Amino acid sequence: MSSQARLLATGIRRTLKQPRQVQLALAAAVGVTAITVFGAGLVYNDAAPPKKTTGAVAVQPIQDSTDSLTAWSWGSNDYRVASSSASTTKAIRNPQPLPHLSGIALRDLALHEKHGACVDAAGNVYQWGDEFFENKSKEARKPKLTLTGKDIKSLTITESKVYALSSSGRVFVLSAKESRHGNIKEESSPWWTTSWLWHTQPTLDHVELKPEFPLRGREKFTSISAGRDHLLALTSAGRAFTHAVNAKANDYGQLGISRISARISSNPPQDKPIDLIPKASKDPSEQSTPFARPTAPPLPVAGDDTDIHWSTKLYEVPSLKEVKGKQLIAGGRSSYLLTAEEGRVLSWGANEYGQLGLGATMTLTSVPIPTEVVLSRPYPRGAAVRCTHISTGGDVVYFTMERTIPGENTAGVDVLAAGMGQWGLLGNGQYTQSQGSPVKVRAVSGIMEYNDKTKALEALQPRAISVSPTGHAMLTLDTISDTNAGYDVLTWGQNRSFELGNGKQSAVPMPSYVQPFRTEPGSRFMVKETRKVIKDMEGKVRGRNVPVQETVVAGWGCTAVYWKIV
């Protein structure tokens, strides 16, 4: 053995005896190909990735390149949402190209159980899925244009409705069913969009949601997020607004208010105030055995709450009027607010599985008032912690944390999880059904990377976390290096419908790399960035040399990868 080889072997042996952060630094210095980091498998040195992996179902690579802007999907396709062109409604075992979204870049994409929706480069909304078309057909049906001329930038969907946010800060709602869209009508477009050049734009039936009281000055809505029955909207001033999707919107106090205006069944229909009382307030003995309490008759529902005209107002959450929010996001039946200045978190709504993160001693199944989440518990005394982002879906929540611990020279980034972990969604290697105290997802926490420019270790944080309502998560890990290798994608949780993309049906309780499914160097899938000429869904060019990036979406029992306009 040469002296150089002996030196390298000695360095590797010493590296494996060091703490995890030191391992990563030494790996960058001596050129180690890969080292193990908890349950994440391997952290790779992209200069020389291994050619083989173990424990994964072999997938035949598919020819692809960034030139084609190919979209991908896998998982449940019972209602032709993951792939509208599939000839069958069986689950997609391994990642397959998604024809109706390939070759284009989108502003946003959302997938529900029985219908899907997207926003193309022109800001138009398209919908598809068996629930949307309703009439059963074995033929492939392309996404249908349902809203145009509004310059939509993002959307979020529920079982019966689609909510869209425009670049100008207006919120619109459409039905999730084609039969309820009504007839096409001509509508004038605002003068500040380019659509005024065409004078009128054809569009299907929709409603604009407006705040109960006008917004201040140049204030506008900047983000929207929908749970199962409620919608949250944040303004540019950091104010939190809420909206009832249907009559169940406040069953767990997730709405933040109890009285709304809704359209009741009358002739002609009229909007009247109704009370949406949380279940715990209507029936304090709800958790008791039926033999110990009388059965309360259900309250009558005011009107048809699946109609987009049922409730058309956005209401400011009274208890948050003095709080400036940075992020406002809805879980399945819960709500979360990240404050703008201190990086603190407030949560309210359903808490049967501890998804509010309020601690193990919080035994209430619902909390109707925004309550602060204490995120310093997993850390030693004196540690400075700050939440930078919240990701949620269904009954689980993830907090991205920046922390500085006394005695450590470098600040770190962790991911904490709370809520339903029955399918391993907590990412801690366990299948805990209820987790009230946030715990570390260790495989993606405390990861450090050596920065060649600063000659120091720096923390790696999640670039994005997408959480499915049905129980799986997709995390895109950021990087410090300037290489064009891409960004790693890790996944864990429920896998009943092959939604993790590994060709199996067993749940995975620890983050693991998404296996490669296209012809590219390396032994795991990485999302890319590039610049392209972008087109809308009609094939018209909408921009040249536009930056786009692959984005992963965890849908209802399925997963999709599409090209998003940055």
Side-chain angles (χ1 to χ4, degrees), residues 149-345:
K150 302 298 182 183
D151 193 23
I152 301 301
K153 71 173 185 178
S154 65
L155 51 78
T156 183
I157 61 180
T158 66
E159 181 180 5
S160 60
K161 298 172 185 177
V162 175
Y163 293 88
L165 175 66
S166 72
S167 298
S168 59
R170 303 165 68 194
V171 182
F172 301 93
V173 57
L174 303 89
S175 175
K177 295 185 178 182
E178 180 185 29
S179 62
R180 306 193 70 163
H181 275 249
N183 299 322
I184 295 179
K185 59 183 179 181
E186 299 291 331
E187 184 173 276
S188 299
S189 299
W191 63 267
W192 58 83
T193 67
T194 57
S195 301
W196 66 270
L197 295 172
W198 288 270
H199 303 293
T200 58
Q201 292 290 328
T203 185
L204 296 176
D205 191 22
H206 63 276
V207 173
E208 180 179 355
L209 302 183
K210 295 186 177 182
E212 183 181 18
F213 302 103
L215 298 180
R216 309 163 185 166
R218 296 183 179 180
E219 186 180 13
K220 65 178 183 179
F221 291 105
T222 56
S223 70
I224 55 174
S225 177
R228 194 169 69 182
D229 306 302
H230 72 298
L231 176 83
L232 299 175
L234 188 68
T235 72
S236 54
R239 291 201 291 162
F241 284 75
T242 187
H243 166 77
V245 174
N246 54 44
K248 298 180 180 179
N250 204 40
D251 279 359
Y252 300 89
Q254 68 267 42
L255 204 59
I257 59 173
S258 59
R259 170 163 288 199
I260 67 168
S261 177
R263 179 162 297 188
I264 64 173
S265 299
S266 60
N267 192 13
Q270 296 180 348
D271 290 345
K272 290 189 176 181
I274 63 171
D275 292 322
L276 300 180
I277 308 299
K279 288 182 178 180
S281 299
K282 289 188 295 186
D283 185 5
S285 304
E286 179 188 5
Q287 302 299 319
S288 303
T289 172
F291 297 100
R293 63 184 178 88
T295 302
L299 295 177
V301 177
D304 180 9
D305 60 355
T306 63
D307 186 3
I308 61 175
H309 298 273
W310 180 72
S311 178
T312 60
K313 294 292 184 183
L314 289 158
Y315 302 90
E316 186 174 7
V317 181
S319 56
L320 297 176
K321 285 187 176 181
E322 303 301 322
V323 180
K324 184 177 181 180
K326 175 184 177 182
Q327 183 187 9
L328 183 63
I329 187 170
R333 297 162 300 145
S334 307
S335 304
Y336 305 87
L337 176 77
L338 173 62
T339 63
E341 297 178 359
E342 305 90 352
R344 298 159 66 183
V345 175

Side-chain angles (χ1 to χ4, degrees), residues 542-564:
R542 294 290 178 173
R544 301 181 184 277
N545 197 33
V546 178
V548 293
Q549 62 184 20
E550 283 183 299
T551 302
V552 186
V553 174
W556 196 286
C558 65
T559 305
V561 180
Y562 73 100
W563 288 91
K564 182 181 179 70

Side-chain angles (χ1 to χ4, degrees), residues 118-173:
C118 71
V119 184
D120 72 353
N124 300 326
V125 176
Y126 288 77
Q127 295 175 246
W128 67 91
D130 286 351
E131 181 76 4
F132 172 72
F133 290 110
E134 289 186 278
N135 58 321
K136 304 301 178 183
S137 172
K138 295 182 179 181
E139 299 179 358
R141 288 177 289 193
K142 295 181 179 181
K144 181 178 179 180
L145 175 63
T146 54
L147 183 63
T148 185
K150 302 298 182 183
D151 193 23
I152 301 301
K153 71 173 185 178
S154 65
L155 51 78
T156 183
I157 61 180
T158 66
E159 181 180 5
S160 60
K161 298 172 185 177
V162 175
Y163 293 88
L165 175 66
S166 72
S167 298
S168 59
R170 303 165 68 194
V171 182
F172 301 93
V173 57

Side-chain angles (χ1 to χ4, degrees), residues 291-468:
F291 297 100
R293 63 184 178 88
T295 302
L299 295 177
V301 177
D304 180 9
D305 60 355
T306 63
D307 186 3
I308 61 175
H309 298 273
W310 180 72
S311 178
T312 60
K313 294 292 184 183
L314 289 158
Y315 302 90
E316 186 174 7
V317 181
S319 56
L320 297 176
K321 285 187 176 181
E322 303 301 322
V323 180
K324 184 177 181 180
K326 175 184 177 182
Q327 183 187 9
L328 183 63
I329 187 170
R333 297 162 300 145
S334 307
S335 304
Y336 305 87
L337 176 77
L338 173 62
T339 63
E341 297 178 359
E342 305 90 352
R344 298 159 66 183
V345 175
L346 302 174
S347 64
W348 64 101
N351 193 47
E352 305 105 309
Y353 306 104
Q355 61 264 45
L356 295 184
L358 298 177
T361 58
M362 174 60 74
T363 58
L364 295 176
T365 58
S366 63
V367 179
I369 300 175
T371 305
E372 183 174 359
V373 181
V374 180
L375 294 169
S376 60
R377 290 193 179 108
Y379 302 99
R381 181 174 298 180
V385 298
R386 176 186 179 90
C387 183
T388 59
H389 193 269
I390 306 172
S391 303
T392 183
D395 296 318
V396 71
V397 62
Y398 299 98
F399 306 103
T400 301
M401 304 294 300
E402 288 183 352
R403 45 83 174 166
T404 303
I405 299 177
E408 293 186 3
N409 297 327
T410 305
V413 175
D414 297 330
V415 177
L416 306 183
M420 162 66 88
Q422 182 177 353
W423 299 292
L425 200 53
L426 296 176
N428 61 350
Q430 301 180 17
Y431 296 94
T432 307
Q433 185 168 358
S434 177
Q435 182 65 47
S437 298
V439 294
K440 286 185 182 180
V441 184
R442 293 192 176 275
V444 291
S445 297
I447 300 178
M448 312 293 287
E449 184 174 272
Y450 186 78
N451 191 330
D452 291 328
K453 294 182 178 179
T454 61
K455 307 298 181 183
L457 286 172
E458 295 184 12
L460 282 187
Q461 59 183 339
R463 188 178 179 87
I465 304 177
S466 180
V467 190
S468 166

